[in-house]
Amino acid sequence: MSYSIFKVIKEGLTGQRGWKPAWRNPEPKAHYDYIIIGGGGHGMATAYYLARRYGKKNIAVLEKGWIGSGNVGRNTTIVRSNYLLEGNQPFYEFSMKLWENLEQDLNYNVMMSQRGVLNLIHSDAQRDAFRRRGNAMIFSGADAQLLTADQVRQMVPFLNYDNARFPIKGGLLQPRAGTARHDAVLWGYARAADALGVDIIQNCEVQGFRIEGGRCVGVETTRGFIGADVVGSSVAGSSSRLMQKAGLTLPIESHVLQAFVSEALKPVVPCVVSFGGPGHFYLNQSDKGGLVFGGDLDGYNTYAQRGNLPLVENVVECLMAIMPSAGRARLLRMWGGLADMSMDGSPIIDRTEIDGLYFNGGWCYGGFKATPGAGYVFAHLLATGESHEVAAAYRFDRFRTGHVLDEPGTGAQPNLH
Ligand SMILES: Cc1cc2nc3c(=O)[nH]c(=O)nc-3n(C[C@H](O)[C@H](O)[C@H](O)COP(=O)(O)OP(=O)(O)OC[C@H]3O[C@@H](n4cnc5c(N)ncnc54)[C@H](O)[C@@H]3O)c2cc1C
């Protein structure tokens, strides 16, 4: 069923009785050509592009709970391609271009809003660093503008300019960046993948791998053994736990990241505002009016999807430092998600040492913006056995050869990325 304005009007006039479930609920088959583990954004996008771009059939996505119950439905919805390093920026710009056409591609409203991402500048050194980053963005075909303090004030008048602990001296703006409705992205991919014949199997936890003669021939699940020619893992915060079941130790730790939303306010923040340097904080306003914001990881390793109060205090202090008027708003909700933090802060999309078993993970807390791109290039790897050119740096062996992609420059300290 194709969604359109005519369908919405027709259903509005006929009691909304003609809508059909957006995806099926099939029983698992005994064997698939491709199994993707993890019904998050990345897993679902991988299945979609495998079917759509690479013409593959007989594909299943296995999800231990319900699709969208992981980070894809828990993130702060920020989409951008404002990276510095050569191994990263072309990938994120590739993903950005897929975002720009995603709604037409999926025939689904993912509420993509290119409202801009503004990184605030608080010191001369930070301005130099952002100028360098902006140039790297422009070289990769992305957009970037360096703004003066007056231009920032005109754009976001409700920040603290006059009596600020950390005075705002300008900003780096990416106008094409912005936000997308996170769970709608997952639903859009699920609906489109299902329409191409992908089996989405929920309540089906992968508990082990069957490996014969060095080759993965299928997965042991809570719904029995399911055979496969090719298996791809896309389980985000559960990556290290799952791959351990195949005997693999990953250069990844899991940490909890919290996010927050306030009660609905009138429009006060027109773009995404990011406050880095003196603190670490990012803020946007949802279409319903809530201020959506977050900051650093809690800082300890965990598989629990909830955080603790010291980080709440830290994040709220950052909010008060840049926008004191927000202190009068009430907090509506807060939650946590599991971030798969790699040793250099950059992701891994690669084959493993077990034939037929592939891995996508280590997205830290920046993988939502990567959803279309990661799905596309992981599908490319699964379908062709070769890395896609924009993901050529995302290999396991960079940790052995020392060619790490340390975007924030903090070293092998996952909790600092
Ligand atoms: C609070 C928070 C804020 C964030 N903000 C942003 C942001 O603003 N911008 C941005 O770009 N990124 C952001 N991120 C990061 C982003 O959400 C993740 O990097 C990305 O969603 C991970 O990919 P995914 O969607 O596939 O993960 P998930 O949605 O977590 O999908 C993984 C799935 O695998 C399933 N699974 C796990 N183990 C098994 C198993 N054994 N068998 C079967 N299924 C299994 C899980 O149930 C889950 O559904 C944020 C993350 C958090 C937690």
Side-chain angles (χ1 to χ4, degrees):
M1 175 175 48
S2 183
Y3 291 163
S4 70
I5 184 71
F6 305 109
K7 177 77 183 155
V8 171
I9 293 169
K10 183 177 165 218
E11 289 302 324
L13 295 173
T14 55
Q16 311 284 358
R17 280 188 288 270
W19 299 111
K20 304 234 166 25
W23 50 84
R24 297 163 299 130
N25 200 10
E27 286 300 311
K29 292 189 217 160
H31 183 274
Y32 288 94
D33 294 353
Y34 294 89
I35 282 181
I36 314 297
I37 312 171
H42 288 213
M44 208 58 80
T46 304
Y48 169 71
Y49 290 117
L50 258 180
R52 176 78 198 265
R53 302 278 164 188
Y54 294 93
K56 301 295 179 190
K57 301 201 170 9
N58 203 21
I59 305 165
V61 175
L62 309 184
E63 164 55 46
K64 75 172 174 187
W66 68 92
I67 58 169
S69 54
N71 288 352
V72 70
R74 292 166 184 263
N75 61 69
T76 41
T77 77
I78 302 166
V79 169
R80 58 188 169 87
S81 60
N82 59 356
Y83 282 68
L84 171 72
L85 299 181
E86 222 175 281
N88 274 331
Q89 177 58 19
F91 167 81
Y92 285 102
E93 180 53 23
F94 176 79
S95 193
M96 191 72 209
K97 292 206 166 73
L98 291 172
W99 277 111
E100 288 181 313
N101 196 35
L102 194 61
E103 291 170 336
Q104 289 72 19
D105 192 16
L106 300 179
N107 179 229
Y108 201 90
N109 183 7
V110 303
M111 295 168 70
M112 177 69 184
S113 166
Q114 292 179 285
R115 61 184 72 178
V117 168
L118 176 67
N119 285 80
L120 298 177
I121 293 172
H122 302 278
S123 68
D124 293 343
Q126 206 177 15
R127 183 184 296 106
D128 289 347
F130 279 155
R131 180 176 284 132
R132 185 166 166 236
R133 177 179 297 255
N135 284 334
M137 290 162 65
I138 290 166
F139 281 140
S140 79
D143 54 324
Q145 290 171 16
L146 204 63
L147 304 186
T148 62
D150 282 346
Q151 287 171 311
V152 174
R153 188 191 280 253
Q154 249 179 355
M155 196 175 159
V156 201
F158 293 104
L159 300 185
N160 188 7
Y161 296 91
D162 298 319
N163 187 23
R165 184 169 172 205
F166 303 109
I168 296 168
K169 298 191 165 193
L172 177 68
L173 176 70
Q174 183 178 24
R176 283 163 62 240
T179 59
R181 167 76 194 266
H182 48 12
D183 34 22
V185 174
L186 181 276
W187 299 331
Y189 274 117
R191 175 173 166 274
D194 176 88
L196 292 168
V198 172
D199 280 359
I200 299 170
I201 322 263
Q202 304 186 69
N203 299 311
C204 182
E205 180 175 356
V206 172
Q207 297 183 316
F209 297 86
R210 193 173 290 180
I211 296 160
E212 289 174 1
R215 182 167 188 88
C216 180
V217 295
V219 289
E220 310 286 353
T221 79
T222 43
R223 296 174 71 170
F225 173 74
I226 308 177
D229 295 340
V230 175
V231 176
S233 168
S234 244
V235 297
S238 303
S239 290
S240 42
R241 223 169 10 171
L242 180 66
M243 296 312 271
Q244 236 170 24
K245 297 186 167 139
L248 301 173
T249 305
L250 302 181
I252 287 177
E253 289 180 359
S254 287
H255 286 258
V256 64
L257 179 70
Q258 302 189 59
F260 308 80
V261 64
S262 78
E263 63 185 331
L265 308 175
K266 287 191 175 171
V268 280
V269 185
C271 59
V272 178
V273 178
S274 175
F275 167 54
H280 182 202
F281 178 78
Y282 32 92
L283 164 74
N284 67 80
Q285 190 165 16
S286 78
D287 291 344
K288 280 197 284 188
L291 297 178
V292 180
F293 53 94
D296 264 327
L297 299 166
D298 272 42
Y300 50 86
N301 300 24
T302 179
Y303 290 112
Q305 293 189 111
R306 60 177 186 280
N308 278 304
L309 289 173
L311 218 286
V312 176
E313 188 180 10
N314 177 285
V315 170
V316 173
E317 274 174 2
C318 286
L319 172 63
M320 293 301 290
I322 64 160
M323 192 173 162
S325 57
R328 300 187 61 185
R330 277 170 297 189
L331 196 61
L332 200 63
R333 279 183 292 126
M334 52 193 274
W335 61 91
L338 274 182
D340 39 334
M341 306 300 297
S342 67
M343 292 297 143
D344 61 359
S346 295
I348 299 161
I349 304 179
D350 203 357
R351 55 177 67 240
T352 69
E353 59 201 52
I354 297 166
D355 282 347
L357 179 58
Y358 294 80
F359 178 76
N360 164 43
W363 289 94
C364 302
Y365 47 92
F368 176 63
K369 68 180 90 66
T371 305
Y376 199 120
V377 302
F378 197 36
H380 180 92
L381 177 66
L382 298 181
T384 66
E386 302 292 329
S387 294
H388 190 283
E389 58 179 355
V390 297
Y394 295 159
R395 294 165 51 118
F396 279 113
D397 63 6
R398 72 176 189 266
F399 298 101
R400 182 158 40 80
T401 61
H403 293 95
V404 290
L405 282 171
D406 186 359
E407 188 80 32
T410 50
Q413 277 286 99
N415 58 332
L416 296 184
H417 295 315

